[in-house]
Amino acid sequence: SNYISIDSLFIKTNVGIFIILKFLYFFFGSNLLFTRFDFAPLFIFFALLLIFYSAIKLYQQRHLKSITVYLCLNNLGFVIACLALQNIESLQAAFFYILNFSLVNLMLFIFATFLKRYFKTSSINKIWLIRQNHFLLVLPLKMLIFFIAAFPLTILFFANWYLVYASFTIDFAAFLLVGLIISNFVHVTLAIKLIASFFKRGSHPFENMVVLNTKEYGFYLASFWFLIATIYLASIASNLTSSLSLRFATFLLSNSI
């Protein structure tokens, strides 16, 4: 039942972000948000609570299914903050946070699903089981480490870059920088935990070995490699992605692209 709630949270959060954007555009039009009503500080405060709470909980987790939940909440907090700041740079950051949520978090979610279904656990400490039995399935997760840790030229790096630029003020929004630093520290810690799990060895080379049928293996293999290829393509084509983020921000701030 816990895992069903995680599945529900992931899907509904993506849908919720879309509905929020449609709601804001329909009711506020080119004013976007808070131009008529100064609720921005309230929403930034709520976003900060979400960011700090999810970062603290994320630091404590050892299971991928729980990690996925708090990564979703962390991303959602930053999206809310970006919408509240309502400038070009913050909305470009929101675009990258949504992109990161839709690709990186989705891949972790599918990986957690696979680990939970076939190895009865989603613990990070058990990732070595997939590595020793299905190397091609775990390789995309290794390649994802750079994106989890927000290395330069990754999706999360661009999101953080635009948010830093948007929140460099002396007012309440500057507290977002503190949340950003704490969040990045937790992301790097998570990446280190995953790296450590790759080098862990079991007591027996065939311990808990799981044999997948051809259809199951092909589905997960295709899913993992498709997502990791899309994620790397989005980073390699950074000029195109940045251009799309600018168009996204312009669309929300005005009635025309």
Side-chain angles (χ1 to χ4, degrees):
S1 60
N2 290 336
Y3 207 77
I4 293 175
S5 65
I6 293 170
D7 175 57
S8 178
L9 174 67
F10 183 86
I11 296 172
K12 288 181 179 179
T13 304
N14 241 343
V15 174
I17 291 173
F18 174 76
I19 292 175
I20 289 172
L21 293 177
K22 292 291 288 183
F23 174 85
L24 296 178
Y25 182 73
F26 178 80
F27 283 98
F28 294 93
S30 60
N31 292 314
L32 182 62
L33 187 66
F34 312 139
T35 300
R36 302 172 186 173
F37 311 100
D38 190 18
F39 291 151
L42 179 63
F43 273 71
I44 292 176
F45 177 73
F46 174 73
L48 284 171
L49 289 180
L50 202 57
I51 291 168
F52 286 130
Y53 172 77
S54 60
I56 292 171
K57 298 297 288 186
L58 187 59
Y59 183 78
Q60 300 170 344
Q61 302 307 312
R62 300 292 301 182
H63 290 264
L64 277 179
K65 64 178 184 178
S66 301
I67 287 171
T68 304
V69 171
Y70 292 113
L71 278 177
C72 291
L73 291 177
N74 193 257
N75 266 207
L76 183 60
F78 280 112
V79 169
I80 293 173
C82 290
L83 291 175
L85 289 175
Q86 59 173 338
N87 57 50
I88 287 290
E89 291 78 16
S90 70
L91 294 177
Q92 284 185 271
F95 173 86
F96 280 103
Y97 282 120
I98 294 172
L99 187 63
N100 183 76
F101 176 86
S102 301
L103 295 176
V104 178
N105 290 8
L106 176 60
M107 184 168 174
L108 278 176
F109 172 77
I110 296 177
F111 197 89
T113 304
F114 174 80
L115 195 60
K116 180 70 174 180
R117 179 177 180 181
Y118 294 103
F119 296 94
K120 311 305 179 185
T121 179
S122 63
S123 174
I124 289 179
N125 296 328
K126 297 298 182 180
I127 291 179
W128 64 269
L129 291 171
I130 305 179
R131 186 208 66 221
Q132 94 174 354
N133 298 327
H134 308 286
F135 174 75
L136 288 178
L137 290 177
V138 81
L139 184 58
L141 184 63
K142 293 182 178 180
M143 299 170 67
L144 193 68
I145 293 293
F146 301 102
F147 293 84
I148 295 173
F151 271 49
L153 302 182
T154 60
I155 298 172
L156 193 56
F157 171 82
F158 286 119
N160 294 340
W161 175 272
Y162 282 115
L163 182 58
V164 167
Y165 190 85
S167 57
F168 249 130
T169 61
I170 58 175
D171 60 11
F172 187 69
F175 285 101
L176 285 172
L177 296 176
V178 179
L180 198 57
I181 292 171
I182 294 175
S183 181
N184 280 348
F185 170 77
V186 172
H187 275 77
V188 171
T189 302
L190 173 59
I192 293 173
K193 289 179 182 178
L194 289 172
I195 292 172
S197 70
F198 295 144
F199 294 97
K200 185 175 180 179
R201 295 182 180 276
S203 58
H204 190 278
F206 298 102
E207 180 183 353
N208 296 323
M209 184 172 182
V210 173
V211 179
L212 303 179
N213 62 45
T214 304
K215 183 179 293 186
E216 291 173 335
Y217 184 82
F219 170 76
Y220 283 106
L221 189 66
S223 298
F224 292 156
W225 282 100
F226 172 78
L227 282 172
I228 198 65
T230 304
I231 290 168
Y232 270 85
L233 182 62
S235 295
I236 293 172
S238 57
N239 288 337
L240 175 60
T241 311
S242 295
S243 176
L244 289 174
S245 71
L246 181 59
R247 291 170 67 85
F248 172 83
T250 305
F251 175 76
L252 290 179
L253 288 173
S254 66
N255 290 316
S256 61
I257 301 179

